[in-house]
């Protein structure tokens, strides 16, 4: 008996799966088809990716992030570079990315730092760069 | 009035698969499914599940039974069970997630979605399409553009990309 399950007809399940992916995989999934491309553009997915390991979740941050360019941009500009650098320094046999992120990066301090960097990015782009 | 025996008769339900096979299950365990819980509240004791075939229903009942006996001491045991539970083919996982979604078993939906996510993590675009049977609806130009926009994702971890669809 073949499966009757077509994931594009079950978008609630699809979103639950995408929510659990890392940024790189989300980027790959965007290329699967038009529907997936559209869903990965949904900023709340990237919000979840940025802050899902932070407890308690930062409050009052969303309006700021959205005004500065959205969570997807926050991930690309601030979160991802940090993760890449942390990965380079990973000692042999250390944990997975998710564990590194949870242990090293995701404290309030780092969240605030990434938001500050994001402000700088906005400043450079919009005020100095004359738009874009 | 003398009380009845200590082990009260537990209320049982009958779940019926799409192939008309019937399975008896304690109500207290079956109500982990939101769908079944609603039907019980409407006084059903025979629960027809026309969307769930026998094979899948057996697995789901196994899951609910295991999770129905959750105590503080057997958490590790249940974790092991869950780990083994998702070691299935994509076809089986798809049937399960469809059924779990229909039955509103939140913990099982979470478990299955996490399993899907873990298994597609390093896959290529082509492999993901094959796993889910998704046709490529981009034109060649659109596909090139989308690929370019997400070049960073394709470049990163290029060495580890998995092209298999299982």
């Amino acid at each position: 008996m073949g499966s009757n399950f077509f994931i594009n007809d079950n978008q609630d399940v699809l979103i639950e799966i995408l929510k659990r992916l890392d940024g790189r995989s989300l980027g790959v999934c965007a290329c699967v088809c038009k529907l997936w491309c559209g869903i990965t553009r949904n900023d709340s997915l990237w919000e979840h990716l940025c802050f899902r390991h932070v407890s308690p979740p930062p409050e009052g941050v969303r309006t700021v992030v959205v005004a500065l360019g959205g969570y997807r941009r926050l991930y690309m500009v601030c979160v991802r570079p940090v993760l890449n650098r942390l990965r380079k320094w990973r000692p042999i046999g250390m944990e997975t990315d998710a564990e590194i992120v949870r242990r090293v990066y995701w404290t309030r301090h780092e969240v605030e730092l990434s938001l500050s960097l994001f402000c700088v990015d906005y400043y450079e782009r919009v005020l100095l760069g004359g738009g874009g | 009035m003398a009380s009845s025996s200590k082990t009260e008769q537990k209320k049982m339900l009958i779940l019926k698969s799409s192939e008309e096979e019937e399975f008896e299950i304690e109500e207290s365990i079956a109500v982990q499914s939101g769908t079944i819980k609603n039907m019980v509240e409407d006084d059903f004791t025979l629960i027809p599940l026309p969307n769930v075939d026998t094979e899948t229903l057996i697995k789901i009942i196994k899951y609910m039974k295991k999770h129905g006996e959750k105590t503080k001491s057997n958490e590790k045991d249940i974790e092991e069970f869950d780990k083994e539970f998702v070691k299935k083919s994509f076809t089986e996982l798809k049937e399960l997630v469809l059924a779990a979604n229909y039955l509103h078993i939140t913990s099982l939906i979470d478990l299955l979605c996490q399993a899907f996510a873990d298994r597609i993590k390093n896959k290529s675009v082509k492999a993901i399409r094959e796993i889910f049977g998704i046709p490529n609806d981009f034109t060649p130009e659109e596909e090139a553009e989308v690929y370019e926009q997400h070049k960073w994702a394709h470049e990163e971890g290029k060495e580890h990309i998995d092209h298999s669809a299982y």
Side-chain angles (χ1 to χ4, degrees), chain A:
Chain A
M1 172 191 230
S3 178
N4 297 320
F5 179 73
F6 183 47
I7 193 155
N8 289 5
D9 292 339
N10 290 275
Q11 284 183 43
D12 45 354
V13 173
L14 174 56
I15 289 173
E16 285 301 316
I17 296 175
L18 294 176
K19 263 162 89 169
R20 289 161 167 82
L21 291 173
D22 56 298
R24 190 208 74 91
S25 300
L26 265 182
V28 169
C29 284
C31 303
V32 166
C33 68
K34 286 182 177 167
L35 176 69
W36 286 44
C37 193
I39 292 180
T40 57
R41 290 211 184 291
N42 189 332
D43 215 37
S44 60
L45 258 184
W46 298 88
E47 176 181 2
H48 187 78
L49 176 65
C50 286
F51 294 139
R52 66 187 164 203
H53 296 305
V54 179
S55 178
E59 285 172 32
V61 154
R62 188 180 295 142
T63 28
V64 176
V65 173
V66 168
L68 296 178
Y71 283 96
R72 188 159 176 267
R73 194 178 170 85
L74 173 65
Y75 176 80
M76 291 298 297
V77 170
C78 306
V79 176
R80 200 173 139 256
V82 173
L83 279 182
N84 283 341
R85 291 177 89 155
L86 289 176
R87 223 174 279 146
K88 285 196 193 120
W89 290 102
R90 183 194 331 194
I92 302 162
M94 194 162 165
E95 325 89 85
T96 62
D97 283 347
E99 285 155 326
I100 294 179
V101 158
R102 206 179 305 137
R103 211 168 58 76
V104 180
Y105 181 74
W106 296 118
T107 66
R108 281 222 100 65
H109 179 76
E110 275 83 13
V111 168
E112 279 156 17
L113 177 61
S114 73
L115 292 172
S116 306
L117 290 173
F118 201 43
C119 292
V120 171
D121 165 73
Y122 178 81
Y123 179 76
E124 285 174 343
R125 257 188 310 130
V126 176
L127 299 175
L128 291 183

Side-chain angles (χ1 to χ4, degrees), chain B residues 66-67 74-85 111:
Chain B
K66 191 72 183 181
H67 280 251
N74 67 359
E75 257 176 48
K76 206 80 219 291
D77 186 39
I78 291 189
E79 254 179 61
E80 274 307 308
F81 172 87
D82 284 353
K83 240 192 231 167
E84 287 304 307
F85 190 80
L111 177 67

